[in-house]
Amino acid sequence: MTHEKGLRRRHASSRGSLLDLFFNPRSIAVIGASASPGKAGHNVMQHLIEGGYQGEIIPVNPRGAPILGRTCVPSLGDLEHPVDLAFIALPAGAVSEALQGCADAGAKAAIIGASGFAELGTKAGHLAQAQLAGIGKATGMRLLGPNTNGLVSTGSQLALGFNVCFPEAITKPGPVSIVSHSGALFDAVSRRLAHSNLGLAHFIAMGNEMDVTMTEMLAALAQDPATKVIGLMLEALDDAEEFRQA
């Protein structure tokens, strides 16, 4: 872990505990929500509703028409109160402006689903990701991703992301939490848990770990009363000493 990343995490901690921010939000805005089936912004909305999330769901789209029965706003700035968590379901080129809008509107945390950043290994990809990280650092807003398909928390009936298995996982709560570098592997893991008569507490796909890291999430889940077993799906670690301590 770089010194800069560590400083960012410490300065951002005042916005709330990691588990509350991402697993127990009172309100969620879907930036780029869509009424068109098959689009990312439609899938995220549909999964939230199918999973049974009881908090406020706010679709955000400049057209402003209702989406899946929910009142839509053209931008987060049109709300009278800030949201706890935003899911940005937009292409990479539109993410920076959307994330700044989330910050300006007082969002506490954001999940960035788009790929096309540092995982490309290009200078442009790294620069684009650094721009997003700068927004989070300047505002204290916690960021998951980019390049993540989201998360599941069965206790709050939260199925937030692209994966079609997310809503189904809500129906099988249990003591296992999984932190993964791969979101695509969730399908197989979810089926294996069900086959073993186990259930899920939380699942989180880390993406590029621009801000929130696997090690930080591991340490947070170790303090979670609903979590008795933590599974990690690892590709690589850049903070080995902190990982050993966790």
Side-chain angles (χ1 to χ4, degrees):
M1 181 185 69
T2 66
H3 178 63
E4 181 180 357
K5 185 181 289 185
L7 286 174
R8 179 169 67 250
R9 296 225 301 263
R10 286 193 290 274
H11 291 322
S13 62
S14 62
R15 297 300 300 270
S17 77
L18 202 62
L19 296 183
D20 282 341
L21 286 175
F22 288 101
F23 295 132
N24 295 295
R26 294 167 298 179
S27 56
I28 298 173
V30 180
I31 315 298
S34 173
S36 301
K39 288 193 173 182
H42 184 275
N43 293 343
V44 173
M45 286 287 300
Q46 187 174 31
H47 295 165
L48 269 174
I49 294 169
E50 288 180 354
Y53 173 68
Q54 296 299 303
E56 186 180 13
I57 302 173
I58 305 159
V60 180
N61 188 300
R63 295 181 180 180
I67 296 176
L68 292 175
R70 306 297 172 116
T71 301
C72 186
V73 296
S75 73
L76 282 185
D78 295 309
L79 295 175
E80 296 181 355
H81 57 84
V83 297
D84 286 343
L85 178 61
F87 191 106
I88 300 178
L90 293 170
V95 169
S96 179
E97 181 179 355
L99 186 63
Q100 186 62 59
C102 292
D104 293 343
K108 296 177 182 178
I111 300 173
I112 301 166
S115 57
F117 295 94
E119 81 281 356
L120 297 177
T122 64
K123 182 178 180 180
H126 282 283
L127 287 174
Q129 183 164 306
Q131 184 178 24
L132 303 183
I135 295 171
K137 181 181 178 182
T139 62
M141 182 170 51
R142 299 311 311 265
L143 306 176
L144 176 66
N147 190 33
T148 173
N149 66 3
L151 58 86
V152 173
S153 181
T154 57
S156 53
Q157 295 181 279
L158 180 59
L160 181 56
F162 304 128
N163 195 304
V164 296
C165 289
F166 279 2
E168 182 182 353
I170 298 295
T171 66
K172 302 177 180 68
V176 180
S177 288
I178 297 172
V179 190
S180 176
H181 279 143
S182 169
L185 285 175
F186 180 73
D187 292 4
V189 171
S190 180
R191 288 193 296 268
R192 184 64 61 87
L193 286 174
H195 181 73
S196 302
N197 201 29
L198 293 170
L200 188 72
H202 310 290
F203 170 83
I204 186 164
M206 298 305 305
N208 291 4
E209 298 183 88
M210 175 179 63
D211 174 35
V212 179
T213 67
M214 177 172 279
T215 296
E216 187 180 12
M217 186 58 67
L218 168 64
L221 287 170
Q223 306 301 317
D224 174 39
T227 299
K228 306 303 179 185
V229 178
I230 302 173
L232 303 178
M233 291 189 283
L234 293 166
E235 293 176 359
L237 290 169
D238 63 359
D239 54 356
E241 182 55 39
E242 281 205 11
F243 182 77
R244 281 193 290 268
Q245 292 175 11

